[in-house]
Amino acid sequence: MGGYSNIQTCLSQSGGSSGGGSSASGGCFLRYSVTPFFSDNDITNIMPYLQKGSSSKKTAIIAGGVGAVSLLLLTIALLLWYRSSQKRRTANRGDILGVTKLQGPTIYRYKDLKSATKNFSEECKIGEGGFGDVYKGIISNGNIVAVKKHAVRTSKEMADFESEVRLIANVHHRNIIRLLGCSGKGPVQILVYEYMENGSLDTFLYGNKRGTLSWKQRIDIILGIARGLAYLHEQFHVCIIHRDVKSSNILLDDDFQPKIADFGLARLLPTDPSHLTTRFAGTLGYTAPEYAINGHLSEKVDTYGFGVVVLEVLSGQNCNKMKNELLTQSLLEYAWKSYNNGTHEDLIDETIDSSEYNVENAKKMIEIALKCTQSPVSLRPTMSEVVVMLVNDASPEPKQTN
């Protein structure tokens, strides 16, 4: 505003020979004139400046400029390459903090895993089974992992190991155990998984931690297992059949969220699975009859195993070793009998306070479990349908036909 006020005093000169004026105030500069400030097409000719030096000097200046820019670009490229190579070397050493889920499994060094598990000592062992022993290990970056050791003796065992790596490497779901990496030395093959502090579900149902799960925790566990299986069957890019769904293959994290584990028997379902027949592999008591007897494999085999696990979660009983006077009956037979007699509440784990659950809700959970174990296969729901039944109020009506 000051510059504008000052320039008012110049306006009387507009008719004079100068025909212009200017003013400056507080960082503001104003100028006016009746003639153009610059000539039309006013172009500065730089040739006189260039002609002052020799052609060799001009060439040297240009070459020097290009060389400096090229050197800068090369330096940046080398720096980026170095950082990238360092990241790859870190990942190959087994640092899971530097590996994202999309990069696939890390290759661990055998000697590092041997050290992490104190030479695979008994004090570090946290599980064992037909597909290998599992150890708790602390790797160099301080992370706790579960190390599954396979002693591969035959080509079939190697095929099972490779199947587990291939199938689980790209599966990422909150209710499925995550494979971190693998390692191998001669006949010993190793898988490294995320560590689950609370161990397997069976220890909380009929093991040394029996009676510590609340009703709500049990329902959340059932729903989590169902969601994990629905992902494997219908949401992953191929249908994966676990083939060994049982309580000991369900692990619990710090918040008691379930994670489906042990994919040693898992198989891909072909695009045309009609009457797919394969050699039986699994655990009796959890295995669907059409698969155990005739080898007919479909995703409904997992649905059957899920139904049996649900009955175990509700009752706190082992499907093959019931702790009551009816030792001649399996858990599934006892559940059907209780349901048909209208005494389904007798199936609920006695360690659960009756005030924790609603009787009708308990009946619904039992009905869903029984529906999953029906035969023929067509009567069983898909796992996505099971998820819908679990979260909705609708109560299915199972039918015992076998």
Side-chain angles (χ1 to χ4, degrees):
M1 291 298 291
Y4 177 76
S5 300
N6 293 337
I7 206 170
Q8 302 298 315
T9 61
C10 301
L11 295 178
S12 60
Q13 301 176 12
S14 62
S17 60
S18 63
S22 63
S23 173
S25 174
C28 176
F29 177 77
L30 296 179
R31 179 186 176 190
Y32 74 93
S33 177
V34 296
T35 60
F37 294 138
F38 306 103
S39 302
D40 292 340
N41 300 320
D42 190 8
I43 300 176
T44 301
N45 186 1
I46 66 171
M47 289 303 298
Y49 300 98
L50 295 177
Q51 290 172 354
K52 291 180 180 180
S54 65
S55 59
S56 60
K57 289 184 177 180
K58 289 184 285 185
T59 302
I61 293 173
I62 296 173
V66 172
V69 173
S70 299
L71 181 60
L72 177 61
L73 293 177
L74 180 60
T75 303
I76 294 174
L78 288 174
L79 181 60
L80 293 176
W81 173 83
Y82 177 78
R83 289 183 176 178
S84 177
S85 64
Q86 286 297 102
K87 288 182 179 180
R88 286 196 298 269
R89 289 178 60 191
T90 301
N92 288 335
R93 288 198 301 267
D95 181 5
I96 62 174
L97 291 179
V99 180
T100 66
K101 293 181 179 180
L102 298 179
Q103 288 178 305
T106 300
I107 304 301
Y108 290 86
R109 294 188 299 184
Y110 178 83
K111 67 176 184 178
D112 290 340
L113 296 179
K114 184 177 179 180
S115 174
T117 57
K118 300 180 181 179
N119 196 18
F120 303 103
S121 65
E122 285 295 319
E123 65 176 289
C124 293
K125 184 183 288 188
I126 56 176
E128 58 184 16
F131 302 100
D133 296 335
V134 183
Y135 301 84
K136 178 181 179 180
I138 303 177
I139 55 181
S140 58
N141 59 17
N143 283 350
I144 301 177
V145 296
V147 180
K148 184 178 180 182
K149 183 180 179 184
H150 293 252
V152 180
R153 295 175 292 270
T154 66
S155 58
K156 179 189 177 301
E157 290 176 341
M158 177 58 76
D160 287 341
F161 174 83
E162 292 175 349
S163 172
E164 184 163 5
V165 174
R166 184 173 61 256
L167 292 180
I168 197 64
N170 295 313
V171 174
H172 304 296
H173 188 275
R174 65 174 299 183
N175 297 119
I176 298 174
I177 197 72
R178 185 160 68 93
L179 177 67
L180 302 178
C182 55
S183 178
K185 182 178 181 181
V188 179
Q189 301 295 325
I190 298 175
L191 296 177
V192 181
Y193 288 97
E194 58 180 330
Y195 178 71
M196 296 290 104
E197 182 66 37
N198 284 317
S200 58
L201 174 61
D202 60 324
T203 61
F204 288 88
L205 299 180
Y206 40 80
N208 54 14
K209 300 177 183 178
R210 183 172 187 261
T212 57
L213 289 177
S214 67
W215 177 259
K216 183 181 184 307
Q217 286 174 323
R218 296 180 193 229
I219 300 304
D220 289 342
I221 289 170
I222 291 172
L223 180 58
I225 299 171
R227 285 173 169 162
L229 289 174
Y231 173 83
L232 291 175
H233 293 173
E234 304 171 53
Q235 298 165 24
F236 195 51
H237 69 276
V238 291
C239 176
I240 296 179
I241 306 174
H242 188 281
R243 291 206 300 173
D244 200 20
V245 177
K246 57 183 178 181
S247 297
S248 59
N249 282 341
I250 307 298
L251 304 182
L252 303 176
D253 66 12
D254 295 347
D255 296 323
F256 291 93
Q257 287 299 310
K259 291 181 181 286
I260 302 170
D262 201 338
F263 283 75
L265 293 180
R267 290 293 181 270
L268 295 176
L269 185 65
T271 54
D272 182 16
S274 57
H275 300 292
L276 176 62
T277 303
T278 183
R279 185 178 63 85
F280 166 73
T283 305
L284 292 176
Y286 300 91
T287 306
E290 76 278 0
Y291 179 50
I293 298 172
N294 301 315
H296 290 173
L297 180 64
S298 72
E299 68 272 22
K300 297 295 184 70
V301 169
D302 286 349
T303 304
Y304 185 97
F306 169 79
V308 176
V309 170
V310 172
L311 293 177
E312 289 188 333
V313 173
L314 298 177
S315 66
Q317 301 273 10
N318 186 320
C319 70
N320 292 318
K321 300 176 183 178
M322 289 189 63
K323 297 178 181 179
N324 59 22
E325 67 279 3
L326 301 175
L327 296 178
T328 58
Q329 284 186 310
S330 69
L331 176 59
L332 182 57
E333 292 172 333
Y334 181 63
W336 274 112
K337 181 178 179 180
S338 299
Y339 177 75
N340 291 330
N341 292 339
T343 58
H344 47 273
E345 65 273 12
D346 293 343
L347 188 67
I348 304 302
D349 191 344
E350 60 185 16
T351 65
I352 302 176
D353 192 323
S354 58
S355 63
E356 290 187 33
Y357 64 91
N358 177 279
V359 175
E360 285 302 312
N361 181 252
K363 179 182 178 182
K364 169 192 166 182
M365 301 303 295
I366 295 173
E367 289 176 334
I368 291 175
L370 294 177
K371 194 171 183 63
C372 289
T373 62
Q374 292 180 120
S375 290
V377 176
S378 58
L379 294 178
R380 294 178 209 151
T382 64
M383 289 310 304
S384 60
E385 291 172 338
V386 171
V387 172
V388 172
M389 288 189 287
L390 288 171
V391 299
N392 289 341
D393 294 330
S395 180
E397 295 183 1
K399 297 180 181 179
Q400 187 175 15
T401 57
N402 54 348

mmCIF file of all heavy atoms in Angstrom, residues 2-23 30-34:
data_model
loop_
_atom_site.group_PDB
_atom_site.id
_atom_site.type_symbol
_atom_site.label_atom_id
_atom_site.label_comp_id
_atom_site.label_asym_id
_atom_site.label_seq_id
_atom_site.Cartn_x
_atom_site.Cartn_y
_atom_site.Cartn_z
ATOM 1 N N GLY A 2 2.071 1.187 0.656
ATOM 2 C CA GLY A 2 2.957 2.352 0.691
ATOM 3 C C GLY A 2 3.490 2.679 -0.678
ATOM 4 O O GLY A 2 3.567 3.853 -1.084
ATOM 5 N N GLY A 3 3.892 1.666 -1.442
ATOM 6 C CA GLY A 3 4.396 1.887 -2.795
ATOM 7 C C GLY A 3 3.343 2.474 -3.690
ATOM 8 O O GLY A 3 3.611 3.350 -4.525
ATOM 9 N N TYR A 4 2.104 2.024 -3.523
ATOM 10 C CA TYR A 4 1.001 2.537 -4.340
ATOM 11 C C TYR A 4 0.744 4.005 -4.023
ATOM 12 O O TYR A 4 0.510 4.825 -4.911
ATOM 13 C CB TYR A 4 -0.244 1.699 -4.102
ATOM 14 C CG TYR A 4 -1.464 2.207 -4.864
ATOM 15 C CD1 TYR A 4 -1.574 1.979 -6.242
ATOM 16 C CD2 TYR A 4 -2.473 2.914 -4.207
ATOM 17 C CE1 TYR A 4 -2.678 2.439 -6.933
ATOM 18 C CE2 TYR A 4 -3.572 3.381 -4.900
ATOM 19 C CZ TYR A 4 -3.679 3.123 -6.261
ATOM 20 O OH TYR A 4 -4.774 3.583 -6.954
ATOM 21 N N SER A 5 0.812 4.386 -2.734
ATOM 22 C CA SER A 5 0.573 5.790 -2.344
ATOM 23 C C SER A 5 1.674 6.700 -2.882
ATOM 24 O O SER A 5 1.413 7.813 -3.369
ATOM 25 C CB SER A 5 0.511 5.902 -0.816
ATOM 26 O OG SER A 5 -0.545 5.097 -0.323
ATOM 27 N N ASN A 6 2.916 6.216 -2.812
ATOM 28 C CA ASN A 6 4.031 7.044 -3.265
ATOM 29 C C ASN A 6 3.987 7.319 -4.766
ATOM 30 O O ASN A 6 4.375 8.385 -5.225
ATOM 31 C CB ASN A 6 5.366 6.387 -2.902
ATOM 32 C CG ASN A 6 5.579 6.342 -1.406
ATOM 33 O OD1 ASN A 6 4.999 7.135 -0.668
ATOM 34 N ND2 ASN A 6 6.417 5.415 -0.950
ATOM 35 N N ILE A 7 3.534 6.332 -5.524
ATOM 36 C CA ILE A 7 3.564 6.492 -6.987
ATOM 37 C C ILE A 7 2.526 7.495 -7.474
ATOM 38 O O ILE A 7 2.568 7.958 -8.612
ATOM 39 C CB ILE A 7 3.386 5.129 -7.684
ATOM 40 C CG1 ILE A 7 4.054 5.167 -9.082
ATOM 41 C CG2 ILE A 7 1.902 4.768 -7.817
ATOM 42 C CD1 ILE A 7 4.125 3.798 -9.731
ATOM 43 N N GLN A 8 1.568 7.833 -6.585
ATOM 44 C CA GLN A 8 0.558 8.807 -6.969
ATOM 45 C C GLN A 8 1.201 10.162 -7.295
ATOM 46 O O GLN A 8 0.703 10.939 -8.113
ATOM 47 C CB GLN A 8 -0.472 8.997 -5.843
ATOM 48 C CG GLN A 8 -1.195 7.713 -5.431
ATOM 49 C CD GLN A 8 -2.001 7.123 -6.564
ATOM 50 O OE1 GLN A 8 -2.720 7.846 -7.276
ATOM 51 N NE2 GLN A 8 -1.877 5.820 -6.750
ATOM 52 N N THR A 9 2.341 10.449 -6.652
ATOM 53 C CA THR A 9 3.004 11.741 -6.874
ATOM 54 C C THR A 9 3.671 11.820 -8.231
ATOM 55 O O THR A 9 4.060 12.890 -8.688
ATOM 56 C CB THR A 9 4.073 11.976 -5.782
ATOM 57 O OG1 THR A 9 5.047 10.927 -5.864
ATOM 58 C CG2 THR A 9 3.438 11.950 -4.391
ATOM 59 N N CYS A 10 3.826 10.694 -8.911
ATOM 60 C CA CYS A 10 4.472 10.666 -10.228
ATOM 61 C C CYS A 10 3.485 10.846 -11.373
ATOM 62 O O CYS A 10 3.883 11.041 -12.515
ATOM 63 C CB CYS A 10 5.206 9.344 -10.426
ATOM 64 S SG CYS A 10 6.483 9.035 -9.189
ATOM 65 N N LEU A 11 2.191 10.744 -11.082
ATOM 66 C CA LEU A 11 1.198 10.722 -12.151
ATOM 67 C C LEU A 11 1.174 12.023 -12.946
ATOM 68 O O LEU A 11 0.857 12.033 -14.125
ATOM 69 C CB LEU A 11 -0.189 10.448 -11.564
ATOM 70 C CG LEU A 11 -0.350 9.053 -10.933
ATOM 71 C CD1 LEU A 11 -1.749 8.918 -10.354
ATOM 72 C CD2 LEU A 11 -0.085 7.965 -11.975
ATOM 73 N N SER A 12 1.544 13.149 -12.322
ATOM 74 C CA SER A 12 1.515 14.437 -13.029
ATOM 75 C C SER A 12 2.550 14.494 -14.144
ATOM 76 O O SER A 12 2.490 15.335 -15.023
ATOM 77 C CB SER A 12 1.759 15.587 -12.033
ATOM 78 O OG SER A 12 3.035 15.425 -11.420
ATOM 79 N N GLN A 13 3.523 13.557 -14.129
ATOM 80 C CA GLN A 13 4.551 13.549 -15.138
ATOM 81 C C GLN A 13 4.178 12.731 -16.359
ATOM 82 O O GLN A 13 4.973 12.576 -17.275
ATOM 83 C CB GLN A 13 5.854 12.982 -14.544
ATOM 84 C CG GLN A 13 6.371 13.770 -13.344
ATOM 85 C CD GLN A 13 7.593 13.130 -12.734
ATOM 86 O OE1 GLN A 13 8.169 12.227 -13.334
ATOM 87 N NE2 GLN A 13 7.991 13.615 -11.567
ATOM 88 N N SER A 14 2.992 12.144 -16.343
ATOM 89 C CA SER A 14 2.614 11.244 -17.438
ATOM 90 C C SER A 14 2.585 11.935 -18.776
ATOM 91 O O SER A 14 2.759 11.313 -19.807
ATOM 92 C CB SER A 14 1.253 10.605 -17.150
ATOM 93 O OG SER A 14 0.274 11.616 -17.063
ATOM 94 N N GLY A 15 2.372 13.245 -18.765
ATOM 95 C CA GLY A 15 2.325 13.936 -20.051
ATOM 96 C C GLY A 15 3.658 14.450 -20.484
ATOM 97 O O GLY A 15 3.808 14.996 -21.553
ATOM 98 N N GLY A 16 4.681 14.359 -19.642
ATOM 99 C CA GLY A 16 5.995 14.890 -19.971
ATOM 100 C C GLY A 16 6.748 13.991 -20.912
ATOM 101 O O GLY A 16 6.261 12.995 -21.405
ATOM 102 N N SER A 17 8.018 14.434 -21.127
ATOM 103 C CA SER A 17 8.833 13.672 -22.063
ATOM 104 C C SER A 17 9.214 12.311 -21.516
ATOM 105 O O SER A 17 9.427 11.368 -22.267
ATOM 106 C CB SER A 17 10.096 14.464 -22.407
ATOM 107 O OG SER A 17 10.855 14.722 -21.224
ATOM 108 N N SER A 18 9.309 12.263 -20.188
ATOM 109 C CA SER A 18 9.697 10.964 -19.620
ATOM 110 C C SER A 18 8.576 9.945 -19.748
ATOM 111 O O SER A 18 8.802 8.794 -20.031
ATOM 112 C CB SER A 18 10.106 11.124 -18.154
ATOM 113 O OG SER A 18 9.005 11.580 -17.398
ATOM 114 N N GLY A 19 7.365 10.363 -19.508
ATOM 115 C CA GLY A 19 6.207 9.468 -19.658
ATOM 116 C C GLY A 19 6.240 8.250 -18.759
ATOM 117 O O GLY A 19 5.826 7.163 -19.167
ATOM 118 N N GLY A 20 6.737 8.365 -17.536
ATOM 119 C CA GLY A 20 6.781 7.211 -16.634
ATOM 120 C C GLY A 20 7.182 7.599 -15.239
ATOM 121 O O GLY A 20 7.454 8.776 -14.944
ATOM 122 N N GLY A 21 7.187 6.628 -14.344
ATOM 123 C CA GLY A 21 7.579 6.867 -12.972
ATOM 124 C C GLY A 21 7.734 5.547 -12.232
ATOM 125 O O GLY A 21 7.364 4.485 -12.734
ATOM 126 N N SER A 22 8.287 5.603 -11.013
ATOM 127 C CA SER A 22 8.475 4.379 -10.213
ATOM 128 C C SER A 22 8.421 4.712 -8.736
ATOM 129 O O SER A 22 8.604 5.862 -8.339
ATOM 130 C CB SER A 22 9.813 3.709 -10.570
ATOM 131 O OG SER A 22 10.899 4.572 -10.239
ATOM 132 N N SER A 23 8.193 3.656 -7.906
ATOM 133 C CA SER A 23 8.120 3.835 -6.449
ATOM 134 C C SER A 23 8.510 2.528 -5.784
ATOM 135 O O SER A 23 8.253 1.442 -6.324
ATOM 136 C CB SER A 23 6.716 4.259 -6.032
ATOM 137 O OG SER A 23 6.601 4.266 -4.620
ATOM 138 N N LEU A 30 7.105 -0.591 -7.764
ATOM 139 C CA LEU A 30 6.122 -0.309 -8.809
ATOM 140 C C LEU A 30 6.759 0.587 -9.856
ATOM 141 O O LEU A 30 7.541 1.496 -9.528
ATOM 142 C CB LEU A 30 4.881 0.384 -8.226
ATOM 143 C CG LEU A 30 4.048 -0.407 -7.218
ATOM 144 C CD1 LEU A 30 2.884 0.446 -6.732
ATOM 145 C CD2 LEU A 30 3.532 -1.683 -7.841
ATOM 146 N N ARG A 31 6.429 0.330 -11.122
ATOM 147 C CA ARG A 31 6.943 1.167 -12.210
ATOM 148 C C ARG A 31 5.895 1.251 -13.297
ATOM 149 O O ARG A 31 5.206 0.268 -13.572
ATOM 150 C CB ARG A 31 8.228 0.554 -12.773
ATOM 151 C CG ARG A 31 8.820 1.361 -13.931
ATOM 152 C CD ARG A 31 10.003 0.646 -14.543
ATOM 153 N NE ARG A 31 10.528 1.339 -15.697
ATOM 154 C CZ ARG A 31 11.433 0.846 -16.539
ATOM 155 N NH1 ARG A 31 11.909 -0.389 -16.328
ATOM 156 N NH2 ARG A 31 11.839 1.543 -17.575
ATOM 157 N N TYR A 32 5.794 2.455 -13.936
ATOM 158 C CA TYR A 32 4.898 2.574 -15.085
ATOM 159 C C TYR A 32 5.602 3.409 -16.138
ATOM 160 O O TYR A 32 6.520 4.180 -15.850
ATOM 161 C CB TYR A 32 3.558 3.203 -14.694
ATOM 162 C CG TYR A 32 3.623 4.697 -14.432
ATOM 163 C CD1 TYR A 32 3.352 5.599 -15.468
ATOM 164 C CD2 TYR A 32 3.938 5.178 -13.166
ATOM 165 C CE1 TYR A 32 3.418 6.964 -15.214
ATOM 166 C CE2 TYR A 32 4.000 6.532 -12.918
ATOM 167 C CZ TYR A 32 3.743 7.446 -13.954
ATOM 168 O OH TYR A 32 3.805 8.782 -13.708
ATOM 169 N N SER A 33 5.183 3.227 -17.398
ATOM 170 C CA SER A 33 5.787 3.975 -18.498
ATOM 171 C C SER A 33 4.853 3.957 -19.690
ATOM 172 O O SER A 33 4.047 3.017 -19.841
ATOM 173 C CB SER A 33 7.141 3.343 -18.884
ATOM 174 O OG SER A 33 7.699 4.030 -20.017
ATOM 175 N N VAL A 34 4.933 4.977 -20.528
ATOM 176 C CA VAL A 34 4.093 5.038 -21.734
ATOM 177 C C VAL A 34 4.769 4.320 -22.884
ATOM 178 O O VAL A 34 4.186 4.190 -23.972
ATOM 179 C CB VAL A 34 3.814 6.509 -22.122
ATOM 180 C CG1 VAL A 34 2.995 7.195 -21.038
ATOM 181 C CG2 VAL A 34 5.125 7.259 -22.370
#
